[in-house]
Amino acid sequence: MEIFCHALPKIELHAHLNGSLSKSTLQQLGCTEQKIFKYDCPNTDIKRVFDLFKVAHSLTNNPTNLYIATKNVIKEFAQDNVIYLELRTTPRCGKDMSEDEYIETVVRAIMAKDSPRTIMVKLILSLDRKKTHDEQLFTLNNIIKFKKQYPNIIKGVDLSGDPSKGLFIKELFQKARNNDLFTAIHCGEIKNFKEAREILSFLPDRLGHCTFLHPKYCDNSSELWDIYKKLQIPVECCLTSNVRCLTTKSYEEHHVLEWIAESLPFCLGTDDKGVFDTCLSQEFLIAAKTFNFNKLDLWTICRNSVEYSFASAKEKELLTSKLNQWSIENMNHDSRNSCPNMKSTLI
């Protein structure tokens, strides 16, 4: 199954750029061995994980390093047989780089002529939830400006950052939507009933994590879960991330079980492959072993993920065609033993 998971053409919809820097990239950017050791993330709490991101941020604080980091991350996902990647990052500014330069540099790296041809890459730009309304609005206006310039690269807006800080500001995401940007919003990473309800009422295109929506995990009534089940918004599930951050007790007790049990839409993502020392093939292998998925189940997750992506209709047709062709060449199409709740959202 390990060989199959690696060979399977995969779709990655939840990957943060700075959290995805490998140790080799950290070294290339000048990170010391001592800092790389600190970058290792055993099971820890979510607040310490956000401290670890500062290591990567300190290295990608200028256009040269940011360009190298972005290209390396894309190359590593391609080497893992990821054929479609939605990379997300929060535009930052500092003494050596403006927000405009940050966005421009990442886009330039995505569009580089020597990028792997086996992978299609799109960009989701994030609003930092701990920033003020005006600061987030400034960032959003920059995102909208670059969206008009690179409409086929910049596809969506996210709300990310430390979930214990800041707020979901609905009007900003409505403005993003009005400017042809998809929305993929972190939701329910911690127990925050009020905010989760506000986010669900906005009807984002996708949701990140949703660890604490089901009453089994959030000690609330079933109201949130009942709302979600009616909406059935695709959820980006990041198994290792949740276990390492201790928001989930174990793989065997991961909240994706509720999605599987009720045939609700989900995809698998790495979140921060560098920090959590994982890759998408590893996440698929964990899912197979933990939830008894067979090869057809894993392929179906990929095929469904195409539909949940922010790719264009023509690009989705191309990706689906690649998956179908790969399955013809590499899979036994006896579906009788597939997971009964692993249903395809595509015809």
Side-chain angles (χ1 to χ4, degrees):
M1 186 63 84
E2 183 175 354
I3 294 173
F4 176 88
C5 289
H6 176 74
L8 178 66
K10 294 173 288 294
I11 311 296
E12 169 67 83
L13 302 182
H14 193 118
H16 296 273
L17 171 59
N18 285 281
S20 296
L21 305 190
S22 62
K23 290 182 181 179
S24 61
T25 295
L26 294 175
Q27 289 175 326
Q28 184 180 353
L29 299 181
C31 190
T32 64
E33 288 292 334
Q34 184 179 12
K35 284 188 176 180
I36 290 176
F37 177 76
K38 289 182 179 179
Y39 195 66
D40 284 335
C41 181
N43 290 5
T44 185
D45 62 83
I46 195 168
K47 289 188 176 183
R48 171 165 156 69
V49 170
F50 279 96
D51 287 336
L52 291 172
F53 293 149
K54 295 176 183 177
V55 175
H57 289 166
S58 69
L59 298 170
T60 57
N61 60 0
N62 64 76
T64 299
N65 280 10
L66 179 61
Y67 182 81
I68 292 170
T70 305
K71 290 198 67 178
N72 284 2
V73 167
I74 293 169
K75 179 181 177 181
E76 289 161 1
F77 273 109
Q79 289 171 340
D80 192 35
N81 284 317
V82 172
I83 62 171
Y84 178 88
L85 167 65
E86 288 183 3
L87 197 59
R88 62 183 73 187
T89 190
T90 304
R92 290 184 285 122
C93 61
K95 65 177 183 178
D96 297 317
M97 183 167 50
S98 66
E99 276 197 2
D100 278 18
E101 288 174 310
Y102 189 100
I103 297 171
E104 188 79 60
T105 299
V106 175
V107 171
R108 189 162 51 90
I110 291 172
M111 297 176 65
K113 291 182 179 179
D114 60 345
S115 291
R117 295 188 177 184
T118 57
I119 187 170
M120 185 185 299
V121 184
K122 307 296 181 182
L123 183 59
I124 297 174
L125 292 166
S126 301
L127 302 181
D128 186 343
R129 57 180 298 129
K130 72 174 181 293
K131 297 281 186 72
T132 66
H133 173 281
D134 289 348
E135 288 171 327
Q136 290 188 48
L137 178 59
F138 178 83
T139 299
L140 177 59
N141 285 335
N142 278 334
I143 294 170
I144 291 169
K145 177 178 66 178
F146 280 98
K147 164 67 175 175
K148 293 175 181 177
Q149 191 172 349
Y150 302 106
N152 196 42
I153 299 294
I154 298 174
K155 304 299 288 188
V157 175
D158 179 22
L159 177 68
S160 60
D162 187 340
S164 67
K165 300 176 181 178
L167 300 168
F168 165 68
I169 305 174
K170 184 176 180 178
E171 67 175 88
L172 297 181
F173 286 88
Q174 186 59 56
K175 181 173 182 176
R177 178 173 282 167
N178 293 344
N179 283 275
D180 300 320
L181 286 156
F182 291 101
T183 54
I185 302 177
H186 283 63
C187 177
E189 277 189 280
I190 61 175
K191 297 178 182 180
N192 189 336
F193 181 91
K194 181 176 180 293
E195 180 179 90
R197 184 169 182 170
E198 290 174 352
I199 291 173
L200 288 175
S201 71
F202 176 70
L203 302 178
D205 298 289
R206 288 201 314 264
L207 296 168
H209 297 296
C210 293
T211 315
F212 299 103
L213 286 193
H214 193 280
K216 179 179 176 180
Y217 308 93
C218 64
D219 303 322
N220 283 323
S221 69
S222 63
E223 181 184 352
L224 263 186
W225 186 243
D226 290 341
I227 293 171
Y228 172 76
K229 283 198 297 181
K230 290 178 182 177
L231 301 176
Q232 296 202 16
I233 300 168
V235 168
E236 306 147 357
C237 291
C238 306
L239 303 174
T240 296
S241 169
N242 297 151
V243 172
R244 290 286 188 92
C245 290
L246 303 181
T247 55
T248 298
K249 291 181 180 179
S250 66
Y251 294 116
E252 291 77 15
E253 299 171 272
H254 195 277
H255 55 281
V256 75
L257 284 167
E258 312 306 329
W259 273 256
I260 296 168
E262 302 205 39
S263 300
L264 297 167
F266 74 91
C267 58
L268 296 178
T270 54
D271 201 6
D272 302 284
K273 73 177 184 62
V275 173
F276 301 121
D277 191 24
T278 189
C279 63
L280 195 54
S281 294
Q282 178 69 12
E283 297 303 297
F284 271 72
L285 182 61
I286 290 168
K289 291 180 176 178
T290 306
F291 310 120
N292 199 30
F293 288 161
N294 65 20
K295 293 177 180 180
L296 179 61
D297 297 327
L298 299 179
W299 181 88
T300 301
I301 291 173
C302 294
R303 195 164 182 262
N304 288 346
S305 297
V306 171
E307 182 64 19
Y308 309 149
S309 78
F310 298 157
S312 68
K314 186 172 290 187
E315 289 167 339
K316 288 181 179 181
E317 287 181 12
L318 175 62
L319 293 166
T320 301
S321 176
K322 285 184 177 181
L323 278 164
N324 287 340
Q325 185 60 39
W326 188 88
S327 71
I328 291 170
E329 296 172 356
N330 295 276
M331 290 176 62
N332 178 348
H333 286 262
D334 183 355
S335 63
R336 288 174 295 179
N337 295 320
S338 65
C339 175
N341 291 321
M342 189 57 61
K343 295 178 181 178
S344 175
T345 60
L346 303 177
I347 297 174

